[in-house]
Amino acid sequence: MSALSRVLKPLAFEEPELETRFAEHFVDSFVAQLRFALLVGLAFMLGDAAIDFAFDQAPAFRANMVRLFAVVPIVAISFALTFYAPFRPYLERYCAAVSLVVAALLFIAMRFLEIDGGLGLASWVGPLNYAFMMIFVFVIIGIRLIYALWVSVLATACFLAIVELTLTQPVGRSIQGAYHIVTVLLLCAFLGDWREL
């Protein structure tokens, strides 16, 4: 089965009994991996806020408000939901949706940081944070390729839209930046596909 066909239809075992047993195993391992990923994400958000506060206190104010009062509560609520058994059947789709919301909020926070005089989307920090987000979506969180690919494509569109709509730069620079962002997306998609297989 090709990677493209897995985007439209997820992998499945031919034997229904084996598929059922695998699905149960997957949910258990996914929840454990997700909890770890959410704790790591929470640590990164608090670390980013602390670093920006220490070195870019005034420019980082709005960015840190987004991180601390939007992203951190979403991540904390998501962590709490991993302990609520009735929600488990919806957890993977929920995490896909939340990943997209968090990505958009972080890109907006970085744009605020840039507008206010810090390092943001147009600096090396923007693509680096984008790459971290793609690695989280495809590898660390543990959602399947069918969800990770759609989340990453929409997050990439969000990132490029914020950059293009808010920054004035030559066309060549825009194409160059978009090329590197799409390259990161493709490499991370390969890692996600390989992990799932």
Side-chain angles (χ1 to χ4, degrees):
M1 182 180 273
S2 71
L4 182 58
S5 62
R6 285 198 300 282
V7 172
L8 303 173
K9 181 180 178 185
L11 289 171
F13 290 102
E14 291 180 8
E15 300 172 27
E17 182 186 338
L18 186 57
E19 180 64 26
T20 300
R21 285 191 287 135
F22 173 77
E24 291 169 358
H25 167 75
F26 173 78
V27 169
D28 290 341
S29 62
F30 170 67
V31 168
Q33 182 172 348
L34 179 60
R35 285 177 184 155
F36 171 77
L38 291 169
L39 289 176
V40 168
L42 193 59
F44 282 174
M45 287 305 100
L46 295 173
D48 284 354
I51 288 291
D52 284 345
F53 183 77
F55 295 101
D56 286 321
Q57 187 170 1
F61 180 77
R62 285 198 299 170
N64 279 340
M65 292 302 101
V66 173
R67 287 184 186 122
L68 297 175
F69 296 105
V71 176
V72 167
I74 289 171
V75 173
I77 289 167
S78 300
F79 183 76
L81 283 172
T82 66
F83 294 94
Y84 184 57
F87 193 70
R88 280 193 174 186
Y90 312 102
L91 197 54
E92 190 177 19
R93 282 172 283 186
Y94 166 83
C95 284
V98 163
S99 296
L100 184 58
V101 170
V102 166
L105 287 170
L106 291 177
F107 299 155
I108 290 167
M110 282 187 289
R111 183 59 184 132
F112 281 158
L113 185 60
E114 189 166 60
I115 291 168
D116 295 339
L119 293 174
L121 290 181
S123 72
W124 58 270
V125 175
L128 180 65
N129 277 271
Y130 169 84
F132 284 158
M133 193 68 203
M134 292 303 101
I135 291 168
F136 251 83
V137 167
F138 280 107
V139 180
I140 298 175
I141 293 175
I143 58 176
R144 287 174 290 167
L145 184 68
I146 192 169
Y147 297 115
L149 197 53
W150 292 114
V151 167
S152 64
V153 167
L154 292 171
T156 300
C158 178
F159 181 89
L160 292 174
I162 292 171
V163 169
E164 288 304 310
L165 294 173
T166 61
L167 298 177
T168 54
Q169 54 187 352
V171 174
R173 180 69 67 170
S174 293
I175 293 171
Q176 185 182 25
Y179 167 78
H180 290 301
I181 291 301
V182 171
T183 300
V184 169
L185 168 63
L186 293 174
L187 288 172
C188 289
F190 172 79
L191 285 175
D193 182 51
W194 176 74
R195 180 191 63 81
E196 183 167 301
L197 279 173

